[in-house]
Amino acid sequence: MKESINNLLLSVRSLFWLKTQDMPQITLDTTLAELYKQGRPSGSKGQLALLSCGVSSEVDPTTKLTRNTKYLYQDSTFNTTPVDVSSTKRQEIQRSVAVKHLSLLTQPDAFAAGNMPVVSLDPDPDSSDEATCHSKKEAEKTVSSLVTAQRPTLLCFANLDQISMEANKIDTLATKLVPDGLEGFPLTVDLDTLYFLNSKAALSRPFKYPKTTLIELEDYSATPESCCSICSTSPSRLFIPPECTGTRGPWLKDRIGRMMSQLSSQRYPFVLKNQQSFGGGGTFVVNSEEELLELQHSLSTRMLPKLLSQVNPSNAHLKPATLTVSELVVDPIGNWCLMFFVTRTGDCIYLAAAQQIVDSAKAWMGSTICYTAQDSLKERFTPIMQQIGAWLAGYGYYGPCGADILETAPQHSDSCGAPDLNIVDLNVRTASSLASGLLKGHFSERRGLHEASTFGFAVRMTRDAFIRHFESRFREGRMVIISWHEDRASGDSLGKLVVAAETRAALAEEVAKVKEITCEILI
């Protein structure tokens, strides 16, 4: 009780401090709520709510939320965690996944949602309920910078089973990813279809995409119960026990060997991608034999033993273990994230295009956007946007979409000088840079801030201390927090920020000032 009262007082003091600093209220150019009203099927009625949460196939994110075992995702945690990790380390991973997947990842979607319910899951359900949920309070602070008419109704539950549709007058859910526990809920798009549309194998079919080879798993192993006593009594179903004395162990070794043999026959340089990932996890660039051997070792000892072990009759039709190998797009002159909304009829509403910032492992680390260039970018990307929209609508999808596009110089004499646009990834969900695309009016039109950057970070201070440190910039509307999670014990925080300035050079200086007191992280 005492802790609850202290948390309430802290929240009140935080909001009071913000008000006394005369912080500007933000009006977004549009919101997901408004876009869904335009894009839903004709005659649709009832309340639509957004479910925003990450998904893990590596660990149970919380004691109340189990990992995905049907719709398998290969994020960076899944790809890099050894099968024999210690229980202490696994607990650390679980906490990190809970905070990033259930708090930090969800808040930018809530920020862009507008006047609609946004459902999230509690990363710490054992120490709170909906009334005292720390991550919900963090989200409330984040969206409090918006004008009242554009703030979502935030709902927080311990797990998917507890989502009370009727009590909250929700008729349909639009989900960012595909949690196993959503089966049976009324959805804008069925789970198998959404999972397929986000798969790398699907992407290689209808669009201009680098030449691609699919390395597929042709079958699946026997069940643990029918294998041997070691498999049937193993407390973990994450991987086939190395001590297996039945058929599953030899099957796993053989299938990994076959996939690695196919990988060895590929020509350098190439890009390997997992079937399903997000946040840049599961993308590997191979330029040499040395890099190939290093990748093969990582795949065969970490990711593939877990991934192949979890393919079974319930998910084999989804081909979750497929690896895609594509030619490397050489010398790109632009790395774009095209953001738009697809209506049920296949029409597309252009939102923005931003230049992406990726690390050496091709993981998304942030983006920059030029607001004065958006009209010309819209003209450039409209044909490819319409192509994507028509394809998605053919599967019944409507909602937000982000396309990762590598732009290269013209390769053919008949191209009339037009650049080549190569779709290298399709995120059939809200894009990581979406918030910056909706802030053109706030930054550029009303304040003359024509350049902006979005990025995540870790910082050894609270939200309030961070705002005080950059007080003048927040008061002038130059900085916008779109996600924040504060550790209540240490006061350390993880955050995601949009920073704006008048010119590209000035923006670089502003970003550098933030990075002086923070550490860059992958969210």
Side-chain angles (χ1 to χ4, degrees):
M1 176 65 74
K2 183 178 179 180
E3 183 181 0
S4 298
I5 294 174
N6 288 338
N7 288 338
L8 178 61
L9 290 174
L10 179 61
S11 179
V12 170
R13 284 197 297 268
S14 298
L15 293 175
F16 176 77
W17 186 87
L18 289 174
K19 287 185 177 181
T20 60
Q21 296 304 308
D22 192 28
M23 297 300 173
Q25 293 287 282
I26 297 164
T27 301
L28 301 175
D29 302 338
T30 188
T31 65
L32 291 172
E34 294 167 358
L35 293 166
Y36 271 112
K37 284 182 180 179
Q38 296 179 59
R40 295 179 75 177
S42 177
S44 293
K45 296 181 181 180
Q47 179 64 62
L48 177 70
L50 177 66
L51 171 64
S52 181
C53 67
V55 172
S56 175
S57 292
E58 174 69 32
V59 295
D60 297 339
T62 72
T63 58
K64 301 292 189 346
L65 185 65
T66 58
R67 65 184 182 88
N68 262 35
T69 57
K70 177 179 179 180
Y71 298 103
L72 302 179
Y73 281 87
Q74 302 100 54
D75 62 355
S76 57
T77 301
F78 187 94
N79 292 329
T80 59
T81 303
V83 295
D84 57 351
V85 66
S86 68
S87 58
T88 300
K89 182 62 177 178
R90 187 162 291 280
Q91 288 177 356
E92 293 177 7
I93 294 170
Q94 181 184 46
R95 181 58 186 163
S96 175
V97 166
V99 170
K100 290 185 178 181
H101 286 20
L102 304 182
S103 183
L104 287 170
L105 186 144
T106 67
Q107 287 184 44
D109 290 343
F111 186 87
N115 186 17
M116 68 186 300
V118 175
V119 176
S120 63
L121 302 175
D122 191 348
D124 191 16
D126 296 321
S127 61
S128 63
D129 53 30
E130 186 175 7
T132 61
C133 176
H134 176 60
S135 65
K136 182 182 177 183
K137 290 180 179 179
E138 293 281 30
E140 287 171 344
K141 288 184 181 181
T142 297
V143 302
S144 68
S145 63
L146 296 166
V147 294
T148 303
Q150 290 188 336
R151 294 178 194 171
T153 300
L154 300 176
L155 304 172
C156 185
F157 301 97
N159 57 43
L160 295 166
D161 291 338
Q162 292 186 9
I163 296 176
S164 48
M165 301 283 285
E166 184 175 353
N168 290 285
K169 300 180 180 179
I170 299 171
D171 299 282
T172 310
L173 286 175
T175 180
K176 183 183 183 79
L177 296 173
V178 187
D180 284 351
L182 273 189
E183 291 185 289
F185 279 83
L187 304 168
T188 56
V189 185
D190 74 84
L191 298 178
D192 275 18
T193 298
L194 186 59
Y195 188 84
F196 164 75
L197 293 176
N198 280 282
S199 69
K200 302 303 182 283
L203 174 62
S204 65
R205 298 176 185 178
F207 307 114
K208 182 178 180 183
Y209 186 79
K211 184 179 177 181
T212 298
T213 300
L214 301 182
I215 300 177
E216 297 183 316
L217 180 69
E218 60 269 25
D219 59 359
Y220 46 84
S221 72
T223 64
E225 293 73 20
S226 65
C227 184
C228 64
S229 60
I230 293 175
C231 287
S232 62
T233 59
S234 173
S236 174
R237 292 292 186 262
L238 182 60
F239 55 88
I240 295 173
E243 304 83 7
C244 169
T245 59
T247 62
R248 298 172 79 226
W251 174 88
L252 180 63
K253 182 178 180 180
D254 177 76
R255 298 309 185 269
I256 291 176
R258 292 187 192 186
M259 298 180 85
M260 292 302 95
S261 177
Q262 292 182 65
L263 192 58
S264 296
S265 66
Q266 306 303 313
R267 296 178 58 182
Y268 312 121
F270 65 81
V271 178
L272 181 139
K273 292 186 178 183
N274 296 150
Q275 180 75 302
Q276 282 286 353
S277 59
F278 58 93
T283 299
F284 311 91
V285 178
V286 178
N287 293 287
S288 65
E289 182 177 4
E290 181 181 0
E291 292 180 356
L292 173 61
L293 293 174
E294 182 179 346
L295 174 61
Q296 287 178 315
H297 175 74
S298 178
L299 291 175
S300 59
T301 60
R302 297 191 174 194
M303 192 267 286
L304 286 178
K306 293 181 289 188
L307 182 59
L308 271 57
S309 297
Q310 297 182 75
V311 180
N312 55 56
S314 75
N315 61 19
H317 65 289
L318 300 168
K319 298 186 180 298
T322 297
L323 303 177
T324 65
V325 181
S326 58
E327 293 180 343
L328 180 68
V329 177
V330 181
D331 298 328
I333 59 176
N335 184 349
W336 296 97
C337 175
L338 171 64
M339 295 168 279
F340 55 100
F341 190 94
V342 182
T343 71
R344 184 61 188 87
T345 60
D347 295 328
C348 294
I349 302 170
Y350 174 88
L351 298 175
Q355 285 270 25
Q356 304 199 92
I357 303 169
V358 297
D359 65 7
S360 58
K362 301 302 179 183
W364 187 91
M365 300 302 294
S367 65
T368 60
I369 187 169
C370 176
Y371 293 115
T372 56
Q374 290 305 306
D375 288 344
S376 61
L377 291 172
K378 179 180 179 180
E379 182 178 358
R380 184 191 311 178
F381 288 120
T382 289
I384 200 168
M385 177 180 71
Q386 291 175 336
Q387 183 186 11
I388 297 170
W391 181 70
L392 292 175
Y395 285 92
Y397 179 80
Y398 62 97
C401 185
D404 295 346
I405 298 173
L406 290 182
E407 178 183 5
T408 57
Q411 300 296 313
H412 307 290
S413 59
D414 61 351
S415 63
C416 301
D420 285 341
L421 301 177
N422 303 273
I423 302 174
V424 294
D425 205 355
L426 199 59
N427 301 306
V428 188
R429 52 183 179 258
T430 50
S432 298
S433 305
L434 177 60
S436 67
L438 305 180
L439 288 165
K440 179 180 179 181
H442 173 79
F443 284 138
S444 182
E445 295 173 0
R446 293 190 282 279
R447 291 172 174 80
L449 307 172
H450 305 305
E451 304 278 344
S453 180
T454 303
F455 55 95
F457 55 86
V459 63
R460 300 186 68 86
M461 61 175 63
T462 65
R463 183 198 301 248
D464 289 352
F466 184 85
I467 293 174
R468 284 195 295 270
H469 188 86
F470 294 106
E471 180 180 333
S472 62
R473 291 171 177 83
F474 277 100
R475 189 185 298 117
E476 293 167 5
R478 292 173 174 267
M479 287 186 177
V480 176
I481 292 172
I482 60 172
S483 188
W484 196 278
H485 190 93
E486 182 179 306
D487 185 281
R488 286 173 287 184
S490 67
D492 296 347
S493 301
L494 301 176
K496 191 174 181 181
L497 187 71
V498 185
V499 181
E502 292 82 356
T503 65
R504 186 173 300 180
L507 177 64
E509 293 179 3
E510 292 298 310
V511 171
K513 289 175 182 176
V514 176
K515 293 187 176 181
E516 285 177 0
I517 64 167
T518 63
C519 297
E520 196 171 42
I521 60 167
L522 169 65
I523 298 181

